[in-house]
Each structure stands twice: as C-alpha cells, then as structure tokens.
Amino acid sequence: MTSRSFELFAAAQKRIPGGVNSPVRAFRHVGAEPFFVECARGAKIWDVDGNEYIDYIGSWGPAILGHAPKLVVDAVREAATRGLSFGIPNPLEVEMAELICAWMPSIEKARMVNSGTEATMSCIRLARGFTGRDKIIKFDGCYHGHVDALLVKTGSGALTHGRPDSAGVPQAFVDLTVSLPFNDVELVRKAFRENKNEIAAVILEPIPANAGLYFPQKNFLSILRDECTRHGALLIFDEVMTGFRIARGGAQEIYGVTPDLTALGKVIGGGLPVGAFGGRAEIMDQLSPDGPVYQAGTLSGNPLAMAAGLAQLRELERINGWKLLEQLGGQFEKFARDAIAKAKIEITFHRIGSMFCLFFARGRIVDLGGAQRSDLKMFSKFFHTCLQQGVYFAPSQFETSFISTAHTSKDIERTGAVIHKVLAEL
Ligand code: HOZ
C-alpha cells in the first residue's frame, strides 16, 4: 500500500460506505486496499503516489480506445460549449439511436438511459408489460447490474464479496426470479414447463463476464431463442459488456442469435455514464408516451455522453478496432498460454477478442460452479505480484479483464513477461 492512497482510503472509509462507490473497487477479495488514480492516458494509469500501471480494466469496459483518447475528449469539450444538459431532445440522441440500430439489426428502436443497471431494469419492466407476465429466468453468475429482481445468484461485486443474493430485495421479487445454471438447456425447458405461461423473459449475458469469463456451449443461445419463442417469452441479451466490444454487432452477431431486447452500456458512453436498451419496434412502442410501460430519466440522452459515445464508436469503426483488438488479444493469449504451460499450477485461460480471464482452476469451465472451483488464494497472489510489477488486472477472480486499442504490442509483450515471471514463481 502506497502512502497517499492509504491516506485517501482512510478518509474515504469515514465518509463513503466501504470507502468505495462500487464494491468491485474495494480490493477486499484480494485482501488489500485500492490505490487511488491520479490520471489515466491510453493503456496506462498512474496512482496518486506516482506508480504507473498497464491497465487491463479500462474502467470495467468503457475505455475501448484506451483512457482519454483525444478525439473523445475533444468531442466532449465541444459539446460542453453548447450546454451540459437540456432535458429537451437534442440531435445527438437521434444520431446515437440510428447508429445503435444500424450496428445491431435486432434493435429497431432504442432508448438511452444512464447506466447498464437502468438498461436491464427497463428491459425487465418492458418485457413484463409486453407479455403481461411476471416471472423472469436468469442464470447463476450472470450479473445485470443492481436491479432488485436480478440480484439473485448474481455475479460481479456481489459474488466477489460472498453475497450473490442481496439483503433488501423483497422475497416477493426473488420468488419471481428463476435462476438456473448457465448452459443447462434441460433445466431451462423444465423451468418453462413448471411455470407455464408465467415467464415474461429469459435474460442473460450471452457471454457471461461477471463470474470470470466463460462461453455459451454449442446451440445454447439458439435453444434459448426457440424456447422463448415457443413459450411466448422475450429473450433479453445483456450486452453491456460485449456490445460493440467483441464485434460491431456484439455477441448476437458472433453467435447469429437474435434477441427481442438488448441492454447496452459501457463502450457506448465513451467513459461517460450511459446505458441504452432497444429491440423490436412493436415491443419498444409499449414504452411511454406511446404505450403503458413507464420509463424516464432527466439526464437520459445527455449531450456530453452522446458526443463521447459517438466519437468513440465512429473511431472504433474507422480504425477497424475489432480487428486490431483481436490481434492484440491473440498476442496476449499466446504469451499467457506459453506462461501457463510452463507453470506448475493449473490455470484455465479464456479469451474472446479483447476480453480475457485466467481461472486458477483446472478443467472445463462453462458455468458458475466451474468458476467457483478456482483457487482464490492463488489468484490473489497472482494479482498482487502482477500489480507490483506494474500490471493491473481485475482485482477479483470473478471479473473479466479488457484490452484496448491503445495497448501496444510492447505493452502486451511486457505483460507477457510479467505473467511468465509471476506464474513461474507461484
Ligand atoms: N459491471 C462491472 C464489471 N463486473 C462492474 C462495475 C461495478 O460494479 O462497479
């Protein structure tokens, strides 16, 4: 622990619960205290004590072009000269909705919100309003923000801190949520049979990235699609992490499965607080003022956030960022696999594009149960030793790390050398 960070954290703990504004930042999973950031540029962050790190969090996903890319900062600055928030429609909201619909063809209409949590929460309400049903199927370890109905066997900070079911969520809400192991189609079919005509929606991260990172098995997503259609339920993809990150059209493009509704966030805000949700027009038209489902927000479609997101997404397309991220991810994977092959301990490495995770567990990991086999002590040692060497990975086994287009081959090479050294000594 460095001294200025130590002082700041002591002060923070007096006035902010747990000293943090979001539990994943607390470093408790790795038995430590967080460092405080002085500034961040490109792939690097510097803490308040002058330490430099190669950052593989990127603000938990938004910083796909790296930190503070000039063109995004310029776009925000320029938008700010015209006003910070209007509470009246502005042209950038239309541009953003058009871009989202063009890049993700399952979305015919989109609405902007301020966070991924709001996006999934709004999808659930809309699905209930559209179907006239109350129950939801979700999957163990999938995290969809801190929405009451979805804080059941959830992932991310709740799982990290050992409380995947939150206090404060009324039992009546929990009773409406069926949480199942990911990748188990038989249990999905059984749940539909046992809750006939009661399921409003199945919601999932098509690629779960909040309990580490694992993947849908062959046909899992298409079977979910068929089951939802057969039973009159909506299929909701939470692409807050994967949307516009792993491909221009997100996980739905990669797997070729069309959801009814999609929740988005992170990269679409370019680092400012943003979420969005969208889907088929007949469903989205149920929203107020056209329809009976209420959903609103003073800052929704905020001009600064729209300007930042549009600048980031257009630049990503201009440089074909997805191709570059795949190259960097491939390079990272090669270094990581070489180091793992030489290590004495069992590690399972998962990657898709610019998202990756090292599980300190052996064997196939396709669900939360698999992720929970990980050796958390070993993970913690790995995390700290990498941090000491200037490489910052997610401070929890139950999170995913991210590469940005600002990472250079040299950064990746240096990280590879660090992983190699650290794993050899574990
Ligand atoms: N969704 C982020 C990754 N699991 C966590 C962000 C947060 O909870 O602060």
Side-chain angles (χ1 to χ4, degrees):
M1 173 51 65
T2 48
S3 60
R4 184 78 186 116
S5 280
F6 183 81
E7 284 163 15
L8 281 165
F9 195 55
Q13 283 175 297
K14 289 194 185 131
R15 294 296 175 204
I16 303 173
V20 289
N21 282 313
S22 195
V24 296
R25 302 175 194 173
F27 278 41
R28 278 196 205 167
H29 181 76
V30 288
E33 295 187 353
F35 60 84
F36 280 65
V37 176
E38 178 69 37
C39 67
R41 288 275 177 285
K44 307 265 174 63
I45 45 184
W46 289 266
D47 71 15
V48 289
D49 295 291
N51 299 305
E52 178 184 298
Y53 307 96
I54 304 177
D55 177 26
Y56 287 96
I57 308 291
S59 187
W60 298 99
I64 197 164
L65 298 178
H67 291 285
K70 184 176 177 321
L71 67 122
V72 175
V73 174
D74 286 349
V76 172
R77 197 174 277 136
E78 202 277 324
T81 62
R82 283 178 281 122
L84 302 180
S85 172
F86 311 127
I88 302 170
N90 72 78
L92 297 175
E93 298 170 81
V94 187
E95 272 185 57
M96 180 58 93
E98 285 172 351
L99 185 149
I100 289 173
C101 294
W103 287 17
M104 235 172 224
S106 72
I107 300 182
E108 292 171 342
K109 288 191 176 179
R111 194 167 259 185
M112 302 308 299
V113 290
N114 301 293
S115 66
T117 292
E118 272 188 65
T120 58
M121 178 186 77
S122 305
C123 285
I124 296 293
R125 187 181 308 134
L126 181 53
R128 286 174 164 156
F130 182 76
T131 60
R133 301 171 178 181
D134 289 340
K135 290 192 177 171
I136 301 294
I137 294 178
K138 74 171 285 290
F139 294 92
D140 306 346
C142 280
Y143 173 71
H144 305 289
H146 60 102
V147 179
D148 277 350
L150 300 173
L151 283 177
V152 177
K153 294 193 186 169
T154 191
S156 192
L159 174 63
T160 293
H161 298 294
R163 298 225 173 93
D165 306 286
S166 173
V169 175
Q171 187 59 40
F173 290 17
V174 175
D175 293 344
L176 294 175
T177 305
V178 180
S179 191
L180 302 173
F182 197 78
N183 274 320
D184 192 330
V185 287
E186 281 320 313
L187 285 182
V188 173
R189 290 186 173 122
K190 186 161 170 266
F192 269 117
R193 278 198 305 277
E194 288 176 354
N195 298 277
K196 202 165 162 39
N197 298 329
E198 288 185 291
I199 305 291
V202 173
I203 183 166
L204 71 157
E205 300 175 76
I207 300 171
N210 280 289
L213 175 73
Y214 42 83
F215 305 107
Q217 298 300 285
K218 194 168 178 302
N219 297 335
F220 180 63
L221 299 179
S222 56
I223 291 171
L224 290 184
R225 174 64 280 170
D226 293 348
E227 290 298 313
C228 283
T229 305
R230 177 168 319 127
H231 293 280
L234 300 188
L235 180 63
I236 305 171
F237 276 5
D238 175 347
E239 294 228 45
V240 169
M241 284 216 200
T242 50
F244 304 153
R245 172 171 275 278
I246 57 166
R248 202 180 88 135
Q252 52 197 268
E253 176 185 297
I254 289 184
Y255 290 100
V257 173
T258 306
D260 298 297
L261 291 174
T262 300
L264 296 166
K266 306 232 189 233
V267 300
I268 62 166
L272 273 75
V274 164
F277 67 101
R280 290 211 316 275
E282 66 162 329
I283 305 170
M284 294 300 287
D285 286 342
Q286 296 301 308
L287 288 172
S288 183
D290 285 348
V293 179
Y294 200 70
Q295 185 280 328
T298 300
L299 295 173
S300 298
N302 172 268
L304 270 57
M306 296 300 94
L310 285 166
Q312 170 150 283
L313 293 172
R314 288 196 180 121
E315 178 64 3
L316 202 55
E317 184 172 52
R318 190 190 70 77
I319 62 173
N320 195 355
W322 302 282
K323 192 166 170 213
L324 176 57
L325 290 168
E326 176 54 34
Q327 280 163 5
L328 292 167
Q331 189 192 357
F332 183 92
E333 176 163 354
K334 191 179 169 316
F335 284 123
R337 287 201 186 281
D338 282 353
I340 290 167
K342 288 181 194 133
K344 288 187 260 340
I345 44 175
E346 294 280 350
I347 295 169
T348 302
F349 180 80
H350 284 177
R351 175 184 77 87
I352 180 157
S354 55
M355 300 169 71
F356 67 87
C357 170
L358 280 82
F359 283 110
F360 285 75
R362 76 178 69 198
R364 200 163 154 264
I365 296 176
V366 296
D367 57 15
L368 175 62
Q372 286 182 313
R373 290 201 315 268
S374 302
D375 182 336
L376 301 184
K377 281 209 180 97
M378 206 54 103
F379 170 82
S380 178
K381 263 193 189 167
F382 170 77
F383 168 81
H384 282 296
T385 328
C386 289
L387 193 66
Q388 279 155 18
Q389 311 274 327
V391 174
Y392 177 47
F393 292 127
S396 164
Q397 175 69 91
F398 303 123
E399 296 288 354
T400 292
S401 294
F402 304 92
I403 296 169
S404 75
T405 60
H407 285 84
T408 60
S409 285
K410 235 172 122 202
D411 292 329
I412 305 270
E413 204 172 305
R414 201 183 124 210
T415 306
V418 167
I419 296 179
H420 198 281
K421 182 169 180 301
V422 172
L423 289 185
E425 287 166 9
L426 276 185

